[in-house]
Amino acid sequence: MATSSASSGSGSGSSSGSSSSSTSFNNNNKGKDKRKDKGKDKGKGGRRQDEVWVHFTQSERDSHGHASAICNFCQETFSRGEITALQGHIANHCMEAPINLVRQYQTVLEVKQMNPIPSKKRKGLEGQTYLDDFHDTAGPLPQGRVDRIDRALIKFFVCCGVSFRVVESPFFIDLLKELNSAYNPPSRDILSNRLLENELGYVNARVSKELDSMDNLTIGTLI
């Protein structure tokens, strides 16, 4: 009887230990699965999509991860749905978009021009100037300085009627490098798209504000 009882006790202990180990193993696996699922969800989410896409129909992405876009208002197609180009289309070109939406994206582009992304490499007092603001530097220019030069560049090309392809001329690049060797001019594509749309949106927003502030304004045509 003692032997049987001991054997029975031993079997019960073994069964209990096995059940405990199995439960622990399952819990660990569940924890790992949750971590994997969480990682997958994070990877699928990626960077948050800009709200401008609400007004465009997005197609499948190409091998470089870029999707084409179709305007939901005028059906104009963009082979590459760049955010600035889509914002600029609504703010400056789309004739079917609601006026409140046009004003909204004109303001978005105006804010971009007035408040460029600050450089993370240099921190100083507001309004503080540096010696390399006036002379060449060994390293890259602060982003704020690059933005100011880019704006001056697009104004020159548009206001003087210069072809955008000139910006890629080796002679023009040599001229810019002589003025500041640390400045890398934009490509023709960036100049004629992103920089142009930003500046055009800024100008349109300013014009709209000027018109809104006017009293007894009459608009006519010259005969």
Side-chain angles (χ1 to χ4, degrees):
M1 290 292 290
T3 303
S4 175
S5 189
S7 174
S8 176
S10 174
S12 177
S14 175
S15 175
S16 176
S18 175
S19 175
S20 176
S21 298
S22 176
T23 302
S24 176
F25 177 76
N26 289 335
N27 288 337
N28 289 338
N29 282 343
K30 287 180 180 179
K32 291 179 180 178
D33 291 341
K34 287 181 179 179
R35 287 192 294 271
K36 288 181 180 179
D37 292 340
K38 186 177 181 181
K40 289 180 180 178
D41 292 341
K42 185 176 180 181
K44 288 181 180 179
R47 187 171 59 179
R48 183 179 179 182
Q49 193 175 53
D50 192 274
E51 62 180 10
V52 74
W53 277 106
V54 173
H55 312 295
F56 292 83
T57 300
Q58 180 176 329
S59 68
E60 296 182 359
R61 297 182 178 275
D62 58 22
S63 58
H64 299 288
H66 301 294
S68 60
I70 302 176
C71 177
N72 294 338
F73 301 109
C74 66
Q75 305 305 309
E76 182 170 345
T77 301
F78 297 82
S79 59
R80 183 172 177 177
E82 294 183 345
I83 300 303
T84 299
L86 302 185
Q87 292 173 339
H89 171 70
I90 293 179
N92 307 318
H93 307 294
C94 185
M95 303 299 294
E96 304 296 330
I99 186 61
N100 62 320
L101 194 65
V102 172
R103 293 290 180 86
Q104 175 186 334
Y105 280 99
Q106 285 178 351
T107 301
V108 168
L109 296 179
E110 180 186 17
V111 170
K112 278 187 178 181
Q113 291 297 78
M114 296 296 293
N115 302 292
I117 299 174
S119 175
K120 296 180 180 179
K121 293 185 178 181
R122 181 184 338 209
K123 294 181 180 179
L125 298 176
E126 185 176 356
Q128 180 176 350
T129 57
Y130 298 85
L131 185 62
D132 56 17
D133 286 338
F134 307 96
H135 301 278
D136 285 358
T137 63
L141 290 174
Q143 188 58 45
R145 183 78 188 283
V146 173
D147 291 338
R148 292 197 301 273
I149 298 175
D150 285 345
R151 286 194 68 187
L153 200 63
I154 190 64
K155 289 177 183 177
F156 161 73
F157 274 87
V158 173
C159 296
C160 296
V162 179
S163 172
F164 289 127
R165 65 183 180 182
V166 172
V167 77
E168 295 180 346
S169 165
F171 302 105
F172 185 73
I173 293 174
D174 284 345
L175 170 63
L176 296 179
K177 289 296 184 181
E178 285 296 329
L179 296 174
N180 194 313
S181 60
Y183 174 70
N184 295 313
S187 66
R188 176 174 56 177
D189 182 62
I190 292 177
L191 186 70
S192 61
N193 287 286
R194 178 168 62 83
L195 296 180
L196 177 61
E197 293 297 345
N198 282 347
E199 189 64 24
L200 185 58
Y202 169 78
V203 172
N204 285 337
R206 302 288 293 184
V207 170
S208 296
K209 288 181 179 179
E210 288 288 335
L211 293 177
D212 290 341
S213 65
M214 295 291 181
D215 294 325
N216 303 320
L217 179 67
T218 301
I219 299 178
T221 57
L222 294 175
I223 299 177

